Amino acid sequence: MPDPSAVFGREASSRPSRASLRTAVVWDVLKDALDRRVEATGKDSLDVLDTGGGSGNFAVPVARLGHRVTVVDPSPNALFALERRAAEAGVADLVTGVQGDIRGLFDVVGREEYDTVLCHGVLEYVDDPAEGVRNAAAALRPAGSLSLLAAGVGGAVLARALAGHFTEARHALDDPAGRWGAGDPVPRRFTAEQLTELADGAGLQVGSVHGVRVFADLVPGVLVDTEPGAAEALLKLEAAAAELSSFHAIATQLHVLGEKRA
Ligand SMILES: C[S@@+](CC[C@H](N)C(=O)[O-])C[C@H]1O[C@@H](n2cnc3c(N)ncnc32)[C@H](O)[C@@H]1O
């Protein structure tokens, strides 16, 4: 089994990469969830569905752990990049890209056929997030786990304010969709409560909520890149803050892990 830190571009002996600073919290929770499903099912290799998996940021590392991953995404370009990336990682046989979207998920995949479903960075873009989560949950086998990752409102408010865009920060604070204005490229953001309600409403027992990228997007890169040991220390700080509900309110992203009720 490959070293998961290396999977995300961090060699054991070197400084964590920028990408791993942003994904480490989610990866650690996801890796634990996969390990638990392996133990519970007795299968070495799980069936994993990555809805809106794009070019395989998570799908390819999950396949590198030996699991079979189906990526459903509407973008042909993303699926092309996924295919290339899976081939480069030597897991082309474990990764299947399918063009489709979460709304019509069951036009392209079966119900209750997956041990774990990922829905990362997708709910922001769909018209009906509740329907999206219900479909993701319906793809799970009983007791399967759903990994839900979406943009947090508070993180956007804080980021706009720290950049000096106070009116936009206030707009994001008041806007029901958490958008900072007409130029905001993200159509919708969530609070931790909204995400857990969506998971609960889709028949999932919420196991954990984590705040993701509480500090990583805010600190100047030069501090992280030049200070010896800074990146490692930031990684540890992110991991500690991720667990605390007080920091969920200002995280750039929120991660919810749920288990399908039997
Ligand atoms: C921000 S990217 C996230 C990619 C990947 N999940 C990750 O975490 O790196 C959003 C992805 O959602 C896909 N997407 C957009 N609308 C979607 C929909 N209705 N159903 C499924 N995927 C969708 C996009 O094509 C894109 O690949």
Side-chain angles (χ1 to χ4, degrees), residues 50-54 57-58 72-75 78 100-102 120-122 125-126:
D50 191 351
T51 57
N57 280 340
F58 285 88
V72 173
D73 199 287
S75 161
D101 73 78
I102 199 163
H120 291 179
V122 178
Y125 302 96
V126 300

Side-chain angles (χ1 to χ4, degrees), residues 24 58 70 74 98 142 144-145 166 184 223 262:
F58 285 88
T70 301
V98 181
S145 44
F166 307 119
D184 189 338
L223 292 181

Side-chain angles (χ1 to χ4, degrees), residues 32-46 67 115-116 141-145 259:
D32 273 2
L34 292 167
D35 289 349
R36 281 200 305 276
R37 289 315 302 149
V38 164
E39 216 175 286
T41 58
K43 301 190 292 191
D44 287 342
S45 185
L46 301 174
H67 304 303
D115 301 295
T116 300
R141 292 179 175 135
S145 44
E259 183 172 300

Side-chain angles (χ1 to χ4, degrees), residues 38-250:
V38 164
E39 216 175 286
T41 58
K43 301 190 292 191
D44 287 342
S45 185
L46 301 174
D47 296 306
V48 177
L49 173 67
D50 191 351
T51 57
S55 60
N57 280 340
F58 285 88
V60 169
V62 168
R64 286 190 63 190
L65 296 175
H67 304 303
R68 292 175 292 275
V69 189
T70 301
V71 173
V72 173
D73 199 287
S75 161
N77 286 346
L79 292 172
F80 180 71
L82 168 75
E83 197 179 325
R84 203 177 45 204
R85 199 165 181 178
E88 279 166 12
V91 290
D93 54 331
L94 291 174
V95 177
T96 307
V98 181
Q99 194 172 359
D101 73 78
I102 199 163
R103 183 158 200 211
L105 191 60
F106 301 111
D107 294 341
V108 292
V109 300
R111 291 176 187 270
E112 299 210 353
E113 285 190 357
Y114 296 91
D115 301 295
T116 300
V117 173
L118 278 59
C119 180
H120 291 179
V122 178
L123 294 185
E124 297 92 323
Y125 302 96
V126 300
D127 292 336
D128 184 348
E131 177 193 51
V133 181
R134 276 198 307 273
N135 283 352
L140 282 171
R141 292 179 175 135
S145 44
L146 177 68
S147 173
L148 207 54
L149 179 70
V153 176
V157 173
L158 188 63
R160 296 321 282 174
L162 291 184
H165 303 300
F166 307 119
T167 305
E168 291 178 352
R170 178 67 200 271
H171 194 286
L173 194 63
D174 294 339
D175 182 29
R179 303 185 75 218
W180 48 253
D184 189 338
V186 179
R188 186 180 289 106
R189 295 186 179 83
F190 299 85
T191 62
E193 292 72 26
Q194 287 170 330
L195 278 186
T196 53
E197 270 169 31
L198 287 175
D200 186 59
L204 298 156
Q205 177 73 45
V206 172
S208 66
V209 180
H210 286 84
V212 181
R213 293 158 56 185
V214 174
F215 310 103
D217 298 345
L218 301 175
V219 290
V222 66
L223 292 181
V224 184
D225 296 337
T226 55
E227 282 287 317
E232 290 81 355
L234 177 56
L235 201 60
K236 286 183 186 158
L237 178 65
E238 285 282 354
E243 303 278 346
L244 303 175
S245 56
S246 45
F247 282 95
H248 296 167
I250 55 161

